[in-house]
Amino acid sequence: QVQLVESGGGLVQPGGSLRLSCAASGFTFSTYAMSWYRQAPGKERELVATITSSGGSTNYADSVKGRFTISRDNYKNMVYLQMNSLKPEDTAVYYCKGEWRLAGLLYWGKGTLVTVSS
């Protein structure tokens, strides 16, 4: 059974930090590119960051460059999102996605809520 389970969300003050984690199971994790997306209330889901299957390359949305860092551990089947200098506009539900594009396989987690507010 494929599972992606996010954790680490919560309430944080502006300027603070959070580290999100996504635990993967039920598929060959090291084959998949992993991404974090987010969806704010009333807005469409947007890509935040992506990391290749090997972890050798990353990509970020302009809005989070220099503040967020995506990483992965292929031994633990985990992907992380370190979020620093958080802003109120970062408030959203954050989702983990795994994709093996060549095979047409795609999985989503159920999300974890991040609220940035004083």
Side-chain angles (χ1 to χ4, degrees), residues 7-30:
S7 62
L11 174 64
V12 62
Q13 292 188 342
S17 297
L18 278 177
R19 188 194 195 206
L20 304 184
S21 300
C22 174
S25 61
F27 63 100
T28 308
F29 180 74
S30 60

Side-chain angles (χ1 to χ4, degrees), residues 59-79:
N59 194 35
Y60 298 91
D62 287 343
S63 58
V64 307
K65 278 181 183 176
R67 300 188 299 123
F68 290 11
T69 302
I70 188 171
S71 62
R72 67 189 294 161
D73 185 331
N74 283 352
Y75 293 102
K76 295 182 178 179
N77 288 1
M78 297 288 295
V79 61

